[in-house]
């Protein structure tokens, strides 16, 4: 199975149209377009009954002490953890593409509604849910896609891995409010094939 995008090339920068935050003319960052990117796939295995699509950033700082702090940087050698930006399950087996902006076309303070979405699919909560939990103006359940917004003082370029899974079941075995980690565990043993495409993104002026 192969996954590609007209929105960005594999291992190349993701445009700001698809990011949660972009560099600001004054200050550090401002809100981006937050559109989900266009994606398309082919060479789907026989027996596919549904698709799961995720996007995660494996380069998120494991400790937040230095994140977005004036006069400090997040060092490259700091251990990193996964941060899910998109969890989408129960995509129909005859689907072969998703349009840019089809599932997200702006930043929604407090998060988009879910889990039900178009095409009969369901969306999980992404990890902005935990990130904004202490922010009264932004907290909520962030269902669906919310794009890149890495720390503006991070010395490491971030990578955003879009992964498509072809499953042998029509419905991903998760219920209610679910996360990317929940889906990873639930699809174990049901994956017929998987494909990836990776984009890069930074808000650190020294890396641009």
């Amino acid at each position: 199975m192969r996954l590609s995008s007209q929105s960005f090339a594999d291992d190349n920068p993701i445009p700001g149209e698809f990011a949660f935050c972009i560099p600001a003319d004054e200050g550090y960052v401002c809100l981006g377009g937050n559109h989900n990117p266009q994606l398309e796939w082919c060479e789907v295995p026989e027996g596919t009954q549904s698709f799961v699509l995720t996007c995660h950033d494996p380069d998120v700082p494991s400790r937040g002490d230095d994140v977005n702090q004036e006069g400090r940087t997040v060092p490259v050698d700091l251990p990193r953890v996964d941060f899910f930006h998109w969890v989408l399950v129960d995509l129909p087996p005859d689907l072969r593409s998703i349009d840019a902006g089809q599932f997200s076309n702006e930043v929604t303070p407090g998060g988009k509604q879910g889990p039900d979405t178009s095409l009969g699919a369901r969306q999980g909560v992404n990890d902005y849910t935990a990130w904004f939990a202490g922010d009264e103006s932004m907290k909520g359940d962030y269902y669906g896609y919310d794009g890149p917004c890495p720390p503006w003082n991070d010395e490491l370029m971030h990578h955003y891995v879009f992964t498509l899974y072809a499953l042998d079941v029509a419905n991903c075995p998760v219920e209610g409010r679910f996360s990317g980690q929940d889906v990873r565990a639930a699809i174990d043993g049901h994956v017929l094939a998987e494909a990836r495409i990776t984009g890069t993104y930074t808000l650190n002026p020294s890396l641009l």
Side-chain angles (χ1 to χ4, degrees):
M1 192 163 65
R2 290 190 296 153
L3 179 64
S4 60
S5 177
Q6 298 172 18
S7 300
F8 63 93
D10 194 26
D11 291 324
N12 277 262
I14 296 173
E17 173 188 352
F18 308 104
F20 193 95
C21 291
I22 59 176
D25 293 333
E26 296 183 10
Y28 293 104
V29 303
C30 61
L31 296 179
N34 205 40
H35 293 188
N36 69 271
Q38 187 271 353
L39 295 166
E40 57 190 74
W41 53 93
C42 61
E43 300 177 14
V44 173
E46 287 189 25
T48 296
Q49 295 191 44
S50 69
F51 296 103
V52 163
L53 178 65
T54 66
C55 173
H56 80 283
D57 173 4
D59 300 318
V60 170
S62 58
R63 193 177 67 248
D65 310 45
D66 299 318
V67 169
N68 296 336
Q69 296 296 310
E70 187 77 42
R72 297 157 73 177
T73 62
V74 179
V76 169
D77 60 358
L78 181 72
R80 305 292 169 140
V81 297
D82 286 346
F83 185 106
F84 279 91
H85 286 263
W86 200 7
V87 187
L88 181 60
V89 307
D90 299 350
L91 289 168
D94 57 348
L95 190 69
R96 294 295 180 270
S97 67
I98 288 172
D99 294 336
Q102 184 172 353
F103 288 90
S104 177
N105 58 16
E106 62 182 354
V107 172
T108 305
K112 291 183 283 294
Q113 295 296 306
D116 294 338
T117 187
S118 62
L119 304 176
R122 293 178 292 150
Q123 298 188 116
V125 290
N126 64 53
D127 286 332
Y128 281 110
T129 301
W131 179 257
F132 287 127
D135 186 331
E136 287 300 319
S137 65
M138 294 291 286
K139 70 179 182 180
D141 283 340
Y142 281 73
Y143 284 95
Y145 177 82
D146 285 298
C149 187
W152 49 258
N153 63 341
D154 199 337
E155 296 177 350
L156 183 68
M157 178 69 71
H158 283 229
H159 296 78
Y160 297 83
V161 185
F162 292 81
T163 307
L164 183 75
Y165 302 90
L167 302 188
D168 64 1
V169 290
N171 298 104
C172 182
V174 288
E175 300 294 338
R177 181 182 182 276
F178 55 88
S179 68
Q181 296 291 0
D182 293 333
V183 168
R184 275 185 177 169
I187 65 176
D188 185 38
H190 294 290
V191 178
L192 298 174
E194 61 185 88
R196 293 182 177 85
I197 183 172
T198 301
T200 60
Y201 197 77
T202 184
L203 291 167
N204 187 337
S206 68
L207 298 179
L208 293 172

